[in-house]
Amino acid sequence: MSEALKQSLDISMFWEYRAVFLEGLTFNCLVFLCSAVVALSVGLGAALLRINRLWPMRWIGTLHVEVFRNAPDYIMLVWVHFVLPLLIGILIRRRVEFHPFLSAVLALGLVYSGYFAETFRAGIQAIPQGNLDAGRAFGMSERLILWRIALPQVVRRMLPEALNLFVSMFKATTIVSLIAVPDLMYNVSMVIQQEMRPLPLYSGAALTYFLIILLLSSGVRLFSERWRRKILA
Amino acid sequence: MGNWERLVWNQRDVLLAGLGVTVEVCAIAFIVAIIGGLALCLVRIYVAPLRPVAVLLIEFFRDTPIFVQLMWVAYVWPEIFGFPSTFFNAGWLALALQSSAYLAETFRAGIEAVPRGQREAAFSAGMSQAQTFTRIVLPQVTLATAPSIVNQFTVIVKSSTLISVITVPDLMSQSQKLVNVWYEPIEILTATAGIYIVFVFLISSAGKLLADRLLRRYGLNAS
Amino acid sequence: MGEIPRIRIADVHKSFGPLEVLRGVSFDVHRGSVVSVIGASGSGKSTLLRCVNYLEPPSSGEVYIEGEPLGSRIDGRGQRKPRSLAEINAMRRELGVVFQQFNLWPHMTVLGNVIEAPIRVRKLPRKEAIAYGEECLRRVKLIDKLSEYPARLSGGQQQRAAIARALAMRPKAMLFDEATSSLDPELTDEVLGVMRELAADGTTMIVVTHEMNFAHEISDRVIFLHQGVIEEEGSPAEIFGAPKSERLRQFLSKYRK
């Protein structure tokens, strides 16, 4: 046991390849940023649909949220990468292929749009009706009310929850290696194939992610505490 | 479409077998996670010398992404610790470790949310620490954390799709096998996605109903 | 008289589903006059006020602002068409509303609240909006709080800020929906004081209130609403001094101080 333990704690091998792994990590960040944009914008749209006056709109919004919130990340990733191009190809009668990066961004963005939609909706519904009435009484258009009165308050109220979702999303980017996006885990598996020494490499990956996420989530926790105090004062 | 019948309905045995494995793995992981989470939480709160160890473990298993944890548990642990001996065990173990960390925090928040006055009332009536905990604190914690616990089960089910990567024959891997045999991914993968979505949806709906009924029974859902 | 009333409410009915809250209310508010609306809870007072600026569109009947119907207009071909929301919004600018719950926007400072609508809706340049906004704040004696956030102000200060916010739009009339009902008694007076000054300055006002003495003091006309219709109306002397209807007498006896 001690031989294996020593081997896996010997993360010097992991350190050797740090340039490659750093490159992979930047891919994780890139995927995260792009997916975040998709998730926020689609999520906001779905949330607004959910509180629309017309019931078909509400129904579409609810459908969107329930489908994507309940879907496992991995199956959505596989589906977007392998099935969606075929469906589009059938529609436009051409052969379509998705670049793995695109599939990753789309899949993660859509899944997390479901979570963000709920966050936005809860935030919007928590705004006192009177605030919106006052806006209308002053002759503000619905668009103006949304952007100047509603959304600023939603952001203030839901920022901690949103930040937690972002951290989750970053953790989720690790699965993009499974459709050959060259992120950290993908590079780790490539190196393992070369070096045939999985122990230090998987341990190193676990340690790296642990440290990064620890930093991020501690930061979010601290920030959220101060933020909540400031907002609820 | 004939394809649906040929590729999905006729292969339902294969898919159902996979679903069975998924449910098995998730059930085991869930039970272990509850026990582990409770243990971690109690150690953290009540066993002062071991507190830093508990905190470290909770942080580590919470912060590491599930995929990374899975690979680590499946390939590194057997060499160091001698277990898990099969990939099936690695599957539920990794899922359980991650969820127990989340549940530990959930339980802690629930315990800390029980108003201190309730404990004081119990002590004043002559109840012991253990009695207070099991008769006063724990039931309230269960009520308060029930939604989060059900939610954690859905997280386990969703994360379980990754155990196909370490060759556990769950629903995900069975559907990928079918795709490799038939070369027609559309119906098979869509059906698989649909099964997972419906399954998770049913669990969380059932969970919501259960939690609602529990709350109503105790008159706690006044709003 | 011959003068077009600033606000004319013509046979307004309002139902919420099967419940008819307003059953045909009509009255005029002339320029510079103060009309108070009194009545028990459930009489429809607040609904009436919310119908005046179409926060709740009337089920039937119409509201006219200086002769212009709020709900419809005559188009180029001389045909009557219903107004779009954008057009209604445009007309809402002319009515300043002060709510019972103040409804200040919590993420903006007092000054921010006051200048928001002038800038966004009337499209005033920022400097102008700030200048007039400060004047309004001075008028309600809140100028020293202009960079405070609403949560830090007392109820009376918040309501005064809300009044300044409504004034900053230079409305043709001010609508007060139980402006002091949410305030502690000590804070009521500062708000009533501001309203008193506005009335003295010749502001056209519709005031829904429980404060009978105040209504008596500042009104030109008083309307007693009961179960969605005007039970009695007249000058303050008539309504408070010599009530004709039995229901009005019963109502007033509850408020005798």
Side-chain angles (χ1 to χ4, degrees):
Chain A
M1 168 178 152
S2 52
E3 176 55 45
L5 187 59
K6 244 192 277 163
Q7 231 193 66
S8 70
L9 291 180
D10 173 31
I11 52 171
S12 61
M13 161 141 297
F14 188 83
W15 187 249
E16 240 180 84
Y17 284 92
R18 64 185 179 283
V20 180
F21 295 149
L22 204 60
E23 219 182 283
L25 210 54
T26 57
F27 259 95
N28 286 100
C29 294
L30 228 65
V31 172
F32 166 68
L33 286 171
C34 298
S35 309
V37 170
V38 173
L40 283 172
S41 40
V42 176
L44 182 60
L48 292 175
L49 279 179
R50 284 263 252 162
I51 59 175
N52 197 285
R53 266 169 294 149
L54 310 165
W55 74 260
M57 295 290 139
R58 288 202 298 270
W59 198 82
I60 296 177
T62 306
L63 191 68
H64 176 103
V65 169
E66 289 303 323
V67 165
F68 290 113
R69 247 189 353 159
N70 293 321
D73 303 354
Y74 186 31
I75 184 76
M76 189 64 29
L77 189 67
V78 166
W79 193 87
V80 167
H81 191 58
F82 292 110
V83 175
L84 196 55
L86 294 178
L87 291 177
I88 297 180
I90 292 177
L91 224 68
I92 63 172
R93 287 184 225 281
R94 298 239 311 257
R95 201 185 114 104
V96 177
E97 241 179 59
F98 279 0
H99 190 280
F101 189 85
L102 173 66
S103 308
V105 167
L106 211 58
L108 284 180
L110 285 174
V111 169
Y112 276 84
S113 73
Y115 299 114
F116 275 109
E118 279 303 276
T119 303
F120 280 130
R121 184 180 69 92
I124 292 177
Q125 292 187 322
I127 299 177
Q129 178 68 21
N131 269 218
L132 309 173
D133 277 351
R136 281 187 204 112
F138 281 97
M140 294 171 109
S141 64
E142 292 297 313
R143 229 183 105 237
L144 213 57
I145 294 179
L146 178 70
W147 286 102
R148 296 287 302 172
I149 313 288
L151 281 184
Q153 291 191 55
V154 170
V155 170
R156 271 169 184 72
R157 207 179 300 251
M158 306 316 271
L159 195 57
E161 197 175 312
L163 288 176
N164 281 325
L165 281 176
F166 283 133
V167 175
S168 288
M169 212 155 115
F170 185 72
K171 281 163 49 181
T173 60
T174 46
I175 65 172
V176 303
S177 56
L178 297 169
I179 56 169
V181 174
D183 78 327
L184 176 57
M185 284 307 275
Y186 183 80
N187 289 352
V188 164
S189 63
M190 289 291 118
V191 174
I192 288 178
Q193 275 182 31
Q194 246 187 303
E195 298 279 346
M196 303 300 258
R197 300 247 315 262
L199 269 60
L201 294 169
Y202 281 134
S203 303
L207 193 64
T208 306
Y209 268 114
F210 169 55
L211 292 172
I212 295 176
I213 305 288
L214 179 64
L215 221 74
L216 288 175
S217 61
S218 306
V220 168
R221 237 173 300 175
L222 275 166
F223 173 79
S224 299
E225 259 178 57
R226 307 228 328 261
W227 183 259
R228 282 208 181 95
R229 233 176 292 149
K230 181 175 152 215
I231 293 296
L232 297 177
Chain B
M1 251 219 279
N3 269 352
W4 284 94
E5 207 196 315
R6 183 167 60 93
L7 296 164
V8 177
W9 183 249
N10 289 350
Q11 312 301 331
R12 63 186 181 281
D13 296 333
V14 176
L15 292 174
L16 281 175
L19 185 59
V21 174
T22 296
V23 172
E24 224 184 305
V25 171
C26 293
I28 299 176
F30 184 54
I31 296 174
V32 174
I34 292 185
I35 299 174
L38 202 56
L40 275 170
C41 172
L42 291 177
V43 166
R44 183 194 171 135
I45 297 183
Y46 294 113
V47 184
L50 287 179
R51 189 167 297 155
V53 176
V55 172
L56 186 65
L57 286 175
I58 294 176
E59 272 306 318
F60 183 77
F61 289 119
R62 223 164 56 131
D63 293 341
T64 328
I66 182 64
F67 182 50
V68 178
Q69 248 176 64
L70 189 63
M71 303 306 263
W72 188 56
V73 168
Y75 293 109
V76 180
W77 278 38
E79 305 290 322
I80 302 182
F81 303 120
F83 73 91
S85 48
T86 64
F87 283 129
F88 180 87
N89 290 342
W92 64 254
L93 186 59
L95 291 173
L97 286 170
Q98 167 123 136
S99 286
S100 61
Y102 276 102
L103 286 174
E105 285 299 277
T106 305
F107 288 141
R108 182 170 75 100
I111 291 177
E112 286 176 359
V114 176
R116 163 179 245 208
Q118 304 228 350
R119 282 190 207 110
E120 289 174 352
F123 292 148
S124 310
M127 290 172 88
S128 69
Q129 280 259 23
Q131 274 179 324
T132 308
F133 186 77
T134 50
R135 303 283 303 168
I136 309 292
V137 176
L138 200 56
Q140 292 191 53
V141 171
T142 316
L143 266 174
T145 58
S148 299
I149 296 177
V150 172
N151 185 53
Q152 200 54 228
F153 185 59
T154 68
V155 170
I156 290 178
V157 171
K158 286 189 272 186
S159 308
S160 72
T161 48
L162 290 169
I163 63 180
S164 56
V165 177
I166 55 172
T167 73
V168 176
D170 72 333
L171 175 59
M172 187 78 192
S173 84
Q174 296 293 73
S175 80
Q176 282 173 324
K177 262 186 219 146
L178 286 177
V179 171
N180 285 334
V181 165
W182 297 94
Y183 289 105
E184 306 219 31
I186 299 182
E187 293 84 1
I188 299 171
L189 289 179
T190 307
T192 309
I195 295 176
Y196 272 112
I197 293 175
V198 169
F199 189 40
V200 174
F201 177 73
L202 287 175
I203 297 173
S204 55
S205 302
K208 258 184 246 169
L209 266 165
L210 201 78
D212 207 47
R213 194 168 297 173
L214 263 173
L215 286 175
R216 214 179 307 154
R217 182 156 159 244
Y218 289 97
L220 287 171
N221 64 338
S223 45
Chain C
M1 269 211 191
E3 188 194 303
I4 298 178
R6 195 147 258 197
I7 300 180
R8 159 163 286 173
I9 290 147
D11 197 32
V12 163
H13 291 251
K14 178 66 187 176
S15 303
F16 293 102
L19 185 66
E20 202 180 5
V21 178
L22 294 175
R23 309 210 230 136
V25 177
S26 309
F27 63 94
D28 291 345
V29 183
H30 290 275
R31 187 159 66 93
S33 73
V34 177
V35 174
S36 291
V37 179
I38 64 176
S41 349
S43 54
K45 312 195 293 291
S46 278
T47 310
L48 176 62
L49 212 63
R50 289 168 76 84
C51 283
V52 172
N53 76 339
Y54 265 59
L55 266 178
E56 308 278 358
S59 308
S60 74
E62 186 58 272
V63 174
Y64 298 85
I65 314 276
E66 291 195 325
E68 277 292 318
L70 248 189
S72 61
R73 63 181 174 86
I74 310 272
D75 72 359
R77 267 175 286 157
Q79 307 231 309
R80 182 159 294 278
K81 303 176 80 228
R83 279 193 206 270
S84 67
L85 191 58
E87 290 165 348
I88 294 183
N89 272 337
M91 294 192 70
R92 278 187 181 144
R93 295 183 213 154
E94 309 305 333
L95 297 172
V97 184
V98 178
F99 297 88
Q100 183 178 350
Q101 302 296 337
F102 331 137
N103 290 337
L104 291 173
W105 298 311
H107 56 295
M108 303 179 188
T109 60
V110 167
L111 184 63
N113 264 271
V114 170
I115 63 175
E116 178 70 11
I119 291 179
R120 306 276 159 192
V121 179
R122 281 207 190 277
K123 314 272 198 244
L124 245 51
R126 198 180 164 81
K127 279 215 177 95
E128 228 184 286
I130 293 181
Y132 191 65
E134 289 180 353
E135 219 187 285
C136 295
L137 283 171
R138 234 165 268 144
R139 214 169 155 192
V140 303
K141 305 201 183 44
L142 215 56
I143 190 69
D144 54 328
K145 300 278 183 211
L146 55 62
S147 12
E148 289 282 3
Y149 282 93
R152 295 204 168 214
L153 304 179
S154 74
Q157 291 168 328
Q158 287 189 47
Q159 193 61 301
R160 283 188 281 143
I163 295 177
R165 181 175 65 168
L167 288 173
M169 287 289 275
R170 298 187 210 248
K172 295 208 168 76
M174 292 279 284
L175 311 177
F176 291 86
D177 187 0
E178 307 220 25
T180 54
S181 298
S182 287
L183 296 174
D184 293 333
E186 317 91 65
L187 302 173
T188 310
D189 286 334
E190 62 189 72
V191 174
L192 293 180
V194 169
M195 290 169 72
R196 201 174 285 126
E197 279 177 28
L198 288 178
D201 284 343
T203 316
T204 313
M205 295 160 64
I206 303 182
V207 179
V208 171
T209 185
H210 284 310
E211 302 282 338
M212 298 301 152
N213 290 341
F214 181 69
H216 194 339
E217 201 193 314
I218 66 163
S219 317
D220 297 301
R221 287 186 72 69
V222 179
I223 291 178
F224 174 59
L225 213 62
H226 181 75
Q227 293 191 348
V229 285
I230 299 182
E231 180 82 8
E232 199 173 325
E233 63 177 301
S235 72
E238 291 166 2
I239 293 287
F240 294 111
K244 292 195 208 80
S245 87
E246 179 55 38
R247 287 205 190 100
L248 178 54
R249 255 176 271 152
Q250 271 181 13
F251 175 75
L252 289 175
S253 67
K254 286 198 212 123
Y255 282 89
R256 280 294 171 241
K257 288 198 189 159

